[in-house]
Amino acid sequence: MIVAIIDDGIFEDEITVPVERYHIGKAVNISRYSHATICAKIIEKYGTIDKFIDIQFINNYGESNIEFMCLALEKCLEINVDVINLSNGIDSFYYGMPYYERLSSVCAKLNKKGIIICAAQSNSLKRTIPAAFNSIISVEQIDWKSNVFCTPYR
């Protein structure tokens, strides 16, 4: 299985399977403790992975934008991937905003191609795209203390 991780970059010394790297925007330093590395280690531990596709679109300050997210997902249309891990999203949006339709369209194209996309809902329980799209498997938090088991948007 080939898994694309669209995030802040995989620190390759922590991973045993091959990593193919792409940058959206300016390439930045990758920490051994980057979020992408942690995700890759978990996926590698529990899955049968042939290769990771590391698509770095988040800078050293944890910042990015919807255009870069679209470009990262469009890159997945060009290359061979089975699953996309997108542990982030946009929770401040409105229908018709710049890139909203583009993001929705690329997610639908990936879904039609049979590529599985897992994307995170906001940790603050706000409606988040692309996780809220029908073509996405939405990953949500569980807060056992407050009995919050999912966002109210699914």
Side-chain angles (χ1 to χ4, degrees), residues 86-99:
L86 184 61
S87 295
N88 41 62
I90 295 126
D91 63 11
S92 295
F93 69 93
Y94 57 91
Y95 302 102
M97 71 181 277
Y99 296 101

Side-chain angles (χ1 to χ4, degrees), residues 61-81:
Y61 303 103
E63 302 167 336
S64 192
N65 59 52
I66 193 170
E67 178 186 12
F68 285 2
M69 183 181 289
C70 290
L71 289 169
L73 289 164
E74 288 165 353
K75 185 67 178 173
C76 291
L77 282 171
E78 300 170 11
I79 57 180
N80 182 29
V81 301

Side-chain angles (χ1 to χ4, degrees), residues 118-138:
C118 299
Q121 286 283 359
S122 167
N123 289 334
S124 60
L125 300 180
K126 292 181 181 177
R127 186 173 174 85
T128 309
I129 58 172
F133 296 153
N134 290 334
S135 57
I136 306 293
I137 295 173
S138 173

Side-chain angles (χ1 to χ4, degrees), residues 138-149:
S138 173
V139 179
E140 302 173 358
Q141 71 176 354
I142 297 176
D143 181 347
W144 295 104
K145 288 183 179 179
S146 302
N147 286 328
V148 176
F149 298 105

